[in-house]
């Protein structure tokens, strides 16, 4: 055996030791309340799931590596790979000791009388996580309760792991062994050991877990496509105090600095609009003084169109920001922004950049979303004629999944479980799932009617055959697609009133097994009415929901005039009758989740304005006048509808509105300066694209009525945000729109890691306290990636509005 000289051996040892020290800076508890080292962070219950849709993969002990969240849900769970609706401990309190660096979270499973503390403290480059209990594990939880830490599968695809030195490879597709479990099959471990290293070959994803007791590694995707890789250690029986301890070491790097991100519109800019790229910088990065706008020639040459200062904006969340203004460049063409060694994706400047931005939404997204139809695209069938067997009457006194519930009576002529005929027509799949949520349906119809009445887009790229219940995409049929979509939504709303006498809360799957269905919706049920697999109609009366429904019907009666006069007449007759009936009794105030209508004032105001616009009947104008004090107090939610009423009200109405408009503008200006992106960015569990769209549409409506005091920039700012000028990344949040856009999203094809062109995702979610996140490699996070039809319809209207402004119309 050849030996190195002693001096060389010592030099190698010292070099290795120095490298290890350099590569592993210590973990420290920062002011934001989480452990941080360069390139690695450990959050301990900075987030706890909000229970809205159960486990959202944002909770417990979490890992952030190189600026990307790669692990979550570090908590005591009752199975190796728990699913979305499985039990989870309730957070009782969280305590942070800045002096010692200790974080303690107390949780409990109250139904089992089991309370526990998850304690964490920094130890060198690691964080030590312990489970502490005062009483022994309840008998019912022995062999079930364990500490789980879930790792994002897409972060570890094509990577290896080692358990006590034995190597394995993370499976790209779930194919590990299953075994018997507690009422269901459970995955068997991929590996187990007292030292588990994930991705040893890649420091950016390397995590080392050590424990005195075995840690097992599982693949949760065997049970559900949205499952994660799970590291798990069982809690021992008959013990108290510290019953489990893990040492968690994500590989930090003292030299790591996150590359700059240039946030800009992937679609581009109209020559006349303000043009600003926002530079997002790691807190450890040194800001550069200038950026350049480069024009691209047809020969591939990049020439400087502008070099200008990057004006420091300051700190927002965890990053520093600067703003690069290139408004002065108006020449049409293709451009990139260059900041240091980073270049943006190419984008356009031109008067027509918004002209076709809405086409994928109307041509692709909405046809795919059409329920009760066979939808075909060339060689591809998107789905068959789904839900021909709609729907069974939901049971009474029942709280269901997805925020649906039925009250103490059916409020219909049907008994629980009885088939309600006539509901198997029209409507759109609500979101990434397949339910018909009435509140969403009527919002879509109203947005589409406003689009039609404002712009009259006669685009025809889709064939809709109602008799055959067949849709052919990219085949014109001589009818405006937008009017056909309006009609499709109205058919469902009218069907509800004809079937049960009022608007229903919606139609949804009868159980979790069917609700989680992925693939063609036609395979969810057998299509035969009256069988147990039929969807349920939730029918508790809600005055707010009734008003929302008839607002859409009154509006649609105008848009359908000349295209389907019989349906227009029927829609208006229902709207007038229901409005009159609702004013003969106290409101039906049944409320549950987000399926029973909006605020009563808002919904009645919408219905009354739409009826006034359709009929010009003075009784509706009188009611609007009487409601105004309440409406004004909620002006932010009613501004668009308030403007709609102006042509049909006395001149004093508009004068009365102006103070509310000015107050709204002042508040909007405050929100616009709270971050460098110029729009409100919320921190709730569902990201804020929808709020941004609504704010842009409110700007558009107020600008139309009050052009002297409302500028056009609010419309452009909203679209800039949607098209990439947002924190965390610069992808367009509208799939298929812009140079680089969302290509992995939570549509009904999410299991294929794909997208539906024209769909709008919620966007950037703020992982508390300070991480902006929108994952492009994992579709199953609904709060970031789920398409919803009402946002898409609002986006179309916003894009057409921006195009009109850009064209000077």
């Amino acid at each position: 055996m050849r030996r190195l000289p002693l001096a060389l051996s010592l030099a190698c040892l010292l070099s290795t030791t120095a490298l290890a020290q350099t590569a592993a800076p210590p973990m420290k508890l920062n002011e934001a309340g989480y452990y941080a080292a360069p390139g690695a962070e450990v959050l301990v219950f900075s987030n706890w799931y909000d229970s809205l849709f159960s486990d959202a993969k944002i909770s417990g002990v979490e890992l952030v590596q190189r600026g990307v969240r790669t692990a979550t849900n570090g908590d005591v769970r009752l199975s190796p790979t728990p699913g979305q609706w499985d039990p989870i401990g309730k957070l009782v309190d969280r305590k942070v000791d800045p002096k010692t660096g200790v974080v303690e979270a107390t949780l409990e499973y109250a139904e089992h009388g089991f309370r526990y503390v998850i304690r964490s403290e920094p130890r060198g480059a690691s964080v030590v996580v312990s489970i502490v209990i005062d009483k022994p594990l309840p008998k019912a939880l022995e062999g079930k309760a364990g500490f789980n830490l879930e790792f994002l599968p897409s972060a570890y695809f094509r990577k290896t792991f080692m358990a006590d030195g034995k190597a394995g490879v993370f499976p790209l597709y779930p194919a590990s062994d299953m075994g018997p479990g507690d009422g269901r099959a459970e995955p068997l471990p991929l590996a187990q050991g007292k030292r588990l290293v994930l991705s040893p070959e890649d420091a950016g994803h390397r995590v080392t877990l050590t424990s005195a007791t075995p840690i097992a590694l599982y693949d949760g995707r065997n049970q559900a496509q949205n499952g994660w890789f799970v590291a798990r250690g069982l809690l021992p029986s008959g013990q108290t105090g510290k019953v489990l301890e893990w040492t968690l070491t994500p590989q930090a790097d003292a030299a790591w600095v996150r590359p700059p991100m240039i946030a800009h519109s992937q679609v581009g800019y109209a020559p006349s609009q303000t043009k600003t790229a926002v530079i997002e910088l790691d807190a450890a990065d040194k800001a550069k003084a200038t950026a350049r706008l480069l024009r691209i020639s047809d020969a591939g040459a990049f020439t400087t169109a502008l070099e200008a200062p990057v004006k420091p904006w300051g700190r927002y969340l965890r990053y520093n920001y600067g703003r690069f203004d290139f408004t002065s460049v108006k020449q049409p063409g293709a451009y990139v922004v260059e900041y240091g060694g980073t270049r943006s994706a190419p984008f356009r400047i031109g008067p027509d950049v918004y002209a076709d931005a809405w086409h994928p939404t109307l041509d692709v997204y909405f046809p795919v979303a059409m329920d009760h139809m066979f939808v075909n695209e060339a060689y591809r069938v998107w789905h068959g004629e789904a839900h021909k067997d709609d729907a069974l009457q939901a049971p009474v006194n029942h709280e269901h999944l997805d925020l649906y519930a039925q009250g103490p009576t059916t409020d219909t002529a049907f008994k629980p479980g009885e088939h309600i005929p006539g509901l198997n027509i029209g409507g759109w799949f609500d979101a990434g799932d397949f339910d018909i949520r009435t509140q969403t349906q009527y919002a879509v119809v109203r947005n589409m009617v406003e689009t039609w009445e404002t712009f009259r887009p006669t685009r025809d790229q889709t064939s809709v055959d109602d008799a055959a219940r067949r849709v052919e995409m990219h085949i014109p049929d001589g009818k405006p697609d937008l009017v056909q979509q309006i009609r499709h939504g109205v058919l469902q709303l009218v069907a509800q009133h004809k079937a049960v006498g009022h608007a229903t809360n919606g139609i949804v799957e009868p159980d979790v097994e069917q609700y989680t269905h992925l693939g063609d919706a036609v395979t969810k049920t057998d299509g035969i009415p009256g069988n147990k697999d039929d969807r349920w109609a939730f029918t508790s009366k809600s005055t707010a929901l009734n008003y929302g429904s008839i607002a859409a019907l009154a509006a649609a009666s105008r848009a359908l005039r000349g295209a389907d006069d019989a349906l227009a007449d029927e829609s208006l007759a229902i709207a007038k009758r229901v409005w009159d009936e609702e004013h003969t009794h106290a409101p039906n105030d049944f409320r549950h989740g987000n399926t029973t209508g909006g605020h009563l004032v808002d919904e009645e105001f919408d219905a009354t304005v739409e009826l006034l616009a359709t009929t010009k009947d003075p009784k509706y104008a009188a009611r609007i006048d009487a409601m105004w004090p309440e409406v004004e107090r909620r002006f932010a939610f009613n501004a668009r509808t308030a403007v709609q009423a102006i042509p049909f009200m006395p001149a004093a109405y508009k004068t009365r509105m102006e103070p509310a408009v000015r107050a709204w503008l002042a508040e909007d200006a405050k929100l616009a300066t709270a971050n460098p992106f110029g729009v409100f960015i919320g921190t709730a569990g569902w990201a804020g694209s929808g709020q941004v769209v609504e704010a842009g549409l409110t700007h558009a409506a107020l600008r139309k009525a009050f052009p002297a005091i409302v500028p056009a920039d609010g419309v452009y700012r909203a679209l800039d945000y949607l098209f990439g000028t947002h924190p965390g990344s610069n992808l367009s949040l509208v799939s298929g729109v812009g140079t680089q856009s969302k290509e992995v999203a939570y549509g009904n094809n999410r299991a294929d890691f794909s997208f539906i062109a024209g769909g709008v995702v919620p966007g950037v979610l703020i992982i508390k306290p300070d991480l902006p996140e929108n994952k492009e490699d994992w579709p199953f996070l609904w709060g970031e990636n789920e398409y919803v039809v009402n946002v898409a319809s609002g986006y179309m209207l916003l894009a057409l509005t921006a195009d009109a402004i850009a064209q000077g119309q």
Side-chain angles (χ1 to χ4, degrees):
M1 179 177 178
R2 306 179 77 181
R3 298 182 180 274
L4 293 172
L6 180 60
L8 184 55
S9 297
L10 289 172
C12 289
L13 178 61
L14 291 171
S15 175
T16 301
T17 302
L19 180 61
Q21 290 173 344
T22 300
M27 281 281 175
K28 296 180 180 179
L29 186 69
N30 64 17
E31 293 181 356
Y34 60 86
Y35 304 104
E41 292 130 23
V42 179
L43 285 64
V44 179
F45 285 89
S46 295
N47 300 279
W48 185 68
Y49 87 115
D50 61 12
S51 78
L52 184 63
F53 298 108
S54 298
D55 178 13
K57 304 298 184 189
I58 306 171
S59 183
V61 178
E62 303 184 90
L63 272 180
V64 178
Q65 297 175 279
R66 307 304 188 262
V68 177
R69 191 170 62 105
T70 56
T72 190
N73 279 11
D75 198 353
V76 173
R77 303 302 297 273
L78 306 185
S79 61
T81 59
Q84 181 177 337
W85 290 274
D86 283 342
I88 191 167
K90 181 180 180 180
L91 182 65
V92 177
D93 66 22
R94 177 179 184 264
K95 298 176 182 177
V96 179
D97 187 339
K99 292 183 180 179
T100 62
V102 172
V103 178
E104 289 187 340
T106 301
L107 299 99
E108 67 178 0
Y109 286 89
E111 64 275 26
H112 294 288
F114 175 50
R115 181 170 285 209
Y116 57 98
V117 174
I118 296 182
R119 185 182 189 276
S120 62
E121 61 179 317
R123 189 175 297 171
S126 307
V127 172
V128 177
V129 178
S130 308
I131 309 300
V132 181
I133 56 178
D134 293 334
K135 299 177 182 178
L137 199 63
K139 288 287 185 184
L141 300 186
E142 291 181 0
K144 295 181 180 180
F147 181 73
N148 290 15
L149 183 59
E150 303 186 24
F151 290 86
L152 179 68
S154 55
Y156 290 93
F157 289 158
R158 305 172 189 86
K159 293 181 170 57
T160 68
F161 58 83
M162 291 190 182
D164 290 343
K166 184 178 180 180
V169 177
F170 282 103
L172 185 64
Y173 196 86
S176 57
D177 293 341
M178 300 289 287
D182 186 9
R184 64 181 182 184
E186 294 283 0
L188 300 177
L190 297 170
Q192 58 183 340
K194 295 180 180 179
R195 177 182 170 86
L196 181 63
V197 182
L198 311 187
S199 186
E201 72 277 15
D202 177 5
H205 291 85
R206 187 184 307 141
V207 182
T208 303
L209 307 174
T210 60
S211 177
T213 54
I215 302 172
L217 180 65
Y218 297 88
D219 188 349
R221 298 172 302 153
N222 283 291
Q223 288 183 317
Q225 278 81 1
N226 62 355
W228 292 32
F229 296 127
V230 183
R232 173 174 169 85
L234 273 175
L235 301 188
S237 304
Q239 296 183 23
T240 60
K242 186 188 295 182
V243 295
L244 182 142
E245 179 177 283
W246 284 11
T247 300
L248 173 62
T249 312
Q251 184 67 58
D253 180 355
W256 182 81
V257 176
R258 181 176 180 265
M261 189 277 292
I262 302 173
H264 68 287
S265 170
Q266 298 282 352
V267 167
Y269 305 87
S272 59
Q273 78 174 94
T274 299
K275 309 175 194 70
T276 304
V278 179
I279 314 297
E280 182 178 87
L281 296 176
D282 188 272
D285 204 354
K286 293 183 179 179
K288 294 172 177 58
T290 63
R292 295 196 299 163
L293 182 71
L294 306 179
R295 182 177 171 84
I296 307 170
S297 76
D298 60 2
F302 292 78
T303 58
T304 301
L306 176 71
E307 183 168 0
V310 175
K311 295 183 180 179
W313 186 90
R315 183 75 172 256
Y316 172 63
L317 302 174
R318 61 173 50 202
Y319 299 122
N320 293 323
Y321 289 91
R323 290 168 57 87
F324 172 58
D325 190 323
F326 53 99
T327 303
S328 60
V329 178
K330 302 180 186 299
Q331 184 180 359
Y335 295 85
V336 297
V337 172
E338 184 179 74
Y339 175 82
T342 302
R343 277 186 181 177
S344 73
F347 57 86
R348 294 172 56 214
I349 294 177
D352 60 345
V353 292
Y354 302 113
D356 60 359
W358 55 280
H359 289 179
T361 306
L362 184 61
D363 295 1
V364 180
Y365 177 73
F366 271 103
V368 170
M370 294 172 78
D371 201 353
H372 304 117
M373 302 291 277
F374 181 103
V375 179
N376 188 67
E377 181 183 27
Y379 299 157
R380 177 180 193 172
V381 174
W382 276 93
H383 59 80
E385 183 188 340
H387 308 125
K388 290 191 291 185
D389 42 12
D390 277 344
L392 299 181
Q393 171 67 60
V396 298
N397 293 315
H398 175 73
E399 185 172 339
H400 200 54
L401 49 77
D402 207 12
L403 303 178
Y404 286 91
Q406 184 69 38
T409 65
T410 65
D411 289 336
T412 72
F414 300 93
K415 298 176 182 178
E418 187 178 353
H419 177 69
I420 303 175
L423 292 175
N424 59 345
I425 187 170
W428 303 276
F429 302 141
D430 173 64
D433 43 20
F434 298 103
D435 60 311
I436 288 184
R437 176 178 173 267
T438 298
Q439 196 168 337
T440 308
Q441 306 291 309
Y442 62 63
V444 172
V445 171
R446 288 193 69 213
N447 280 336
M448 286 184 169
V449 170
E450 184 176 351
T451 302
W452 176 252
E453 293 186 327
T454 305
F455 301 108
R456 281 293 196 278
T458 57
R459 183 171 180 79
D460 172 24
Q461 295 295 314
T462 305
S463 176
V464 179
D465 186 337
D466 284 308
R469 295 205 172 202
R470 186 180 181 97
V471 174
E472 291 285 350
M473 298 162 64
H474 314 304
I475 296 179
D477 63 358
K479 301 174 183 178
D481 292 341
L482 187 62
V483 174
Q484 289 179 307
Q485 289 294 338
I486 292 169
R487 184 178 184 276
H488 192 70
V490 167
L491 287 172
Q492 172 59 210
L493 297 178
V494 166
Q496 294 178 11
H497 287 275
K498 291 170 71 174
V500 302
H502 57 269
T504 71
N505 307 164
I507 306 173
V508 69
E509 291 75 14
D511 52 46
V512 169
E513 182 179 1
Q514 196 183 111
Y515 178 73
T516 55
H517 175 89
L518 293 173
D520 191 337
V522 78
T523 62
K524 285 167 62 245
T525 70
D526 59 15
I528 301 171
N531 288 343
K532 289 183 178 180
D533 66 348
D534 297 358
R535 294 195 298 183
W536 291 357
F538 285 80
T539 58
S540 292
K541 281 185 179 179
S542 163
T543 292
L545 198 69
N546 247 0
Y547 279 135
S549 176
I550 66 170
L553 293 178
S557 70
R558 303 190 301 269
L560 293 174
R561 189 66 61 196
D564 189 334
D565 288 338
L567 186 59
D569 290 341
E570 187 174 26
S571 298
L572 182 57
I574 291 171
K576 292 165 68 175
R577 173 181 58 79
V578 170
W579 193 92
D580 287 341
E581 288 177 355
E582 288 293 352
H583 284 87
T584 65
H585 58 77
N588 293 304
D589 58 358
F590 178 78
R591 289 288 181 180
H592 186 80
N594 63 358
T595 59
T596 51
H599 193 284
L600 182 59
V601 169
D602 304 350
E603 299 284 28
E604 183 186 354
F605 186 62
D606 289 347
T608 308
V609 170
E610 293 290 10
L611 280 163
L612 175 64
T614 305
T615 68
K616 314 302 186 294
D617 190 324
K619 74 177 182 181
Y620 301 120
R623 181 60 184 151
I624 290 169
D625 188 62
M627 291 185 69
W628 181 253
E630 292 179 284
V631 171
E632 187 175 28
R633 282 193 289 271
R634 295 181 52 78
F635 186 73
F637 302 97
N638 292 293
R640 289 173 60 193
T641 303
V643 166
Q644 185 183 350
I646 289 175
F648 313 106
M649 295 291 288
Y653 171 80
K654 182 177 179 181
T655 303
R656 196 178 180 187
M657 191 187 304
E658 185 169 329
V661 173
R662 292 186 181 276
W664 185 87
L665 283 171
E667 183 61 27
D668 181 73
K670 278 190 212 173
L671 296 175
T673 58
N675 63 67
F677 300 96
V679 300
F680 172 71
I681 300 176
T683 58
W686 193 281
S689 290
Q691 293 169 308
V692 172
V693 168
E694 281 301 313
L697 292 174
T698 299
H699 268 280
L702 295 179
R703 179 180 179 272
K704 182 178 180 180
F706 300 91
I709 61 176
V710 182
D713 69 313
V715 173
Y716 287 135
R717 279 189 279 119
L719 283 176
D720 285 352
Y721 183 89
L722 290 180
F723 292 151
T725 311
H726 49 68
S729 76
N730 54 21
L731 291 180
S732 168
L733 303 176
V734 188
S735 291
V737 176
T739 311
Q740 295 180 352
S741 68
K742 288 293 298 181
E743 296 180 19
V744 174
Y746 193 112
N748 53 48
N749 61 342
R750 58 190 175 276
D752 301 322
F753 281 63
S754 189
F755 66 97
I756 304 172
V760 183
V761 302
V764 180
L765 194 68
I766 307 304
I767 305 299
K768 297 178 180 64
D770 61 6
L771 178 67
E773 176 179 277
N774 180 269
K775 289 198 177 297
E776 175 62 2
D777 58 356
W778 190 248
F780 300 105
L781 300 177
W782 54 80
E784 302 177 12
N785 285 332
E786 186 171 8
Y787 302 131
V788 184
V789 288
N790 60 318
V791 177
S793 63
Y795 159 72
M796 282 199 301
L797 176 56
L798 189 65
L800 278 157
T801 301
D803 182 51
I805 296 171
Q807 303 287 354
Q809 298 172 7

